[in-house]
Amino acid sequence: MTQPPEQPQGYPPPPPGGQYPPPAPGGQYPPPPPGGQYPPPPPPLPYTDQYGQPYPPQQAPGTNWWAVVSLIFGVIGGVLISVVAGIVGLNKAKKGQGGRGMAIAGLILSALWIVGLIAVFALVAANKDKIADSEFADLFDPNSVNAADIGLGDCLSEIPSDASLVASVKTVSCTEPHKGEVYFVIDVPGGSFPGQSAIIDYQDRCAPALQEFSPDAMEDPEVGMFVLYPTEDSWKRGDRAVTCIATTDVPRTGSLQQ
C-alpha cells in the first residue's frame, strides 16, 4: 500500500485541491488614504560614489593671498612685488580661488606708479638747469649744498653766474680741480633784514680779507672774487652769511692760501 509523501516540517500544508485563495474582490490594491493625499516622499539621498559611499560636501575655495599681497603693495608702491603677486594671483583665481578683482587692482596700481615715476623723471630731466640753481638741488646731486651752508676752506667746482639767484652750489675736495675757494665768511647779525646797503658794506670786507689770506692771489690777475650774500628772500629762510670766494677761470688744484 502506497504511503502519502511526508510534508516538510515547519510549512503549513497546501490548501485542499492545491489552490491558493482567490485575490481580493475586484483585484484592486488597498484604497487610497482619506482625502486622496499620499505621504510626502523621503528626502533625496546624497550623491554616492561607485561603492555606495556619499560624497563629502563641497568646500569653499581658500583665500587667494597672492591677490591680497598684490593689492597691498600696489597701494604703497612696491611695484615689483605687486606685479609678481598679481600674476600669480590671477593664475590662482583661474583655478577656482577668489581674489581676481584684487589681483587686477594691484596690477593697475603698479602700472600707475610706473607711469608716475616716468613722468617725474621726464620732468626733472627737462628742468635740470633750473633745479641745479634751486634750493632743491642737493636732493638730486650729492655734491650740491645749500649756498648758505658752505664754509671756510670749501672749494667749488663751478662759479654761479649771478650771486643774487644762487640757492645751491657744487662743492668738491680742494685737491680736485675747482674754480672757487672760500677764504672768508662773515655772519650778519640782526633779527630783521638790514637792507641792501648794509649787505654791501659787509661785501667790501672781502678784498682786504683776500690780501690777508694770500697776497700773491690778490696780485694775480687771473684770480677774481665772487661773493655770496643774503637777499631779503633768503634772509627769511635763515641765510645770514656773506661768503667771499677766490675764483679762477681755469680749474686748479690745491689752496691759494700761503
Side-chain angles (χ1 to χ4, degrees):
M1 182 175 181
T2 303
Q3 296 290 335
E6 295 183 359
Q7 299 293 331
Q9 296 183 0
Y11 291 92
Q19 296 181 354
Y20 289 92
Q28 298 180 352
Y29 291 99
Q37 295 182 352
Y38 290 94
L45 296 175
Y47 292 106
T48 60
D49 57 17
Q50 58 180 344
Y51 301 105
Q53 298 297 327
Y55 289 108
Q58 186 176 6
Q59 297 181 353
T63 302
N64 190 344
W65 289 108
W66 288 98
V68 176
V69 171
S70 176
L71 179 61
I72 293 175
F73 279 89
V75 171
I76 65 177
V79 175
L80 181 59
I81 297 177
S82 178
V83 170
V84 173
I87 294 173
V88 177
L90 285 178
N91 291 331
K92 294 288 186 181
K94 292 179 180 179
K95 297 178 180 178
Q97 293 188 7
R100 181 175 183 273
M102 288 187 291
I104 293 176
L107 292 174
I108 292 175
L109 289 172
S110 298
L112 292 177
W113 275 103
I114 294 173
V115 172
L117 290 174
I118 292 174
V120 170
F121 284 126
L123 184 63
V124 170
N127 297 274
K128 61 181 181 179
D129 294 336
K130 295 181 180 179
I131 294 175
D133 293 332
S134 72
E135 58 185 314
F136 302 106
D138 54 334
L139 297 177
F140 301 94
D141 189 345
N143 293 325
S144 293
V145 297
N146 193 303
D149 294 336
I150 60 174
L152 187 65
D154 287 341
C155 289
L156 281 60
S157 60
E158 296 290 338
I159 303 300
S161 58
D162 190 343
S164 63
L165 300 177
V166 177
S168 63
V169 293
K170 292 185 178 181
T171 59
V172 295
S173 171
C174 291
T175 59
E176 299 180 10
H178 59 273
K179 291 185 177 182
E181 180 182 357
V182 178
Y183 65 90
F184 191 58
V185 178
I186 311 167
D187 289 327
V188 181
S192 58
F193 185 65
Q196 196 62 39
S197 59
I199 297 299
I200 292 175
D201 291 339
Y202 284 102
Q203 290 178 273
D204 292 341
R205 300 185 189 180
C206 288
L210 181 58
Q211 176 68 37
E212 183 178 350
F213 181 77
S214 176
D216 289 345
M218 188 65 183
E219 299 297 331
D220 190 343
E222 295 183 357
V223 177
M225 286 187 299
F226 185 85
V227 183
L228 294 175
Y229 55 88
T231 63
E232 189 171 1
D233 289 337
S234 67
W235 186 275
K236 296 176 183 178
R237 298 192 298 269
D239 185 9
R240 298 292 187 273
V242 173
T243 305
C244 306
I245 304 170
T247 66
T248 56
D249 293 334
V250 179
R252 63 185 307 275
T253 58
S255 175
L256 292 172
Q257 188 176 25
Q258 294 180 346

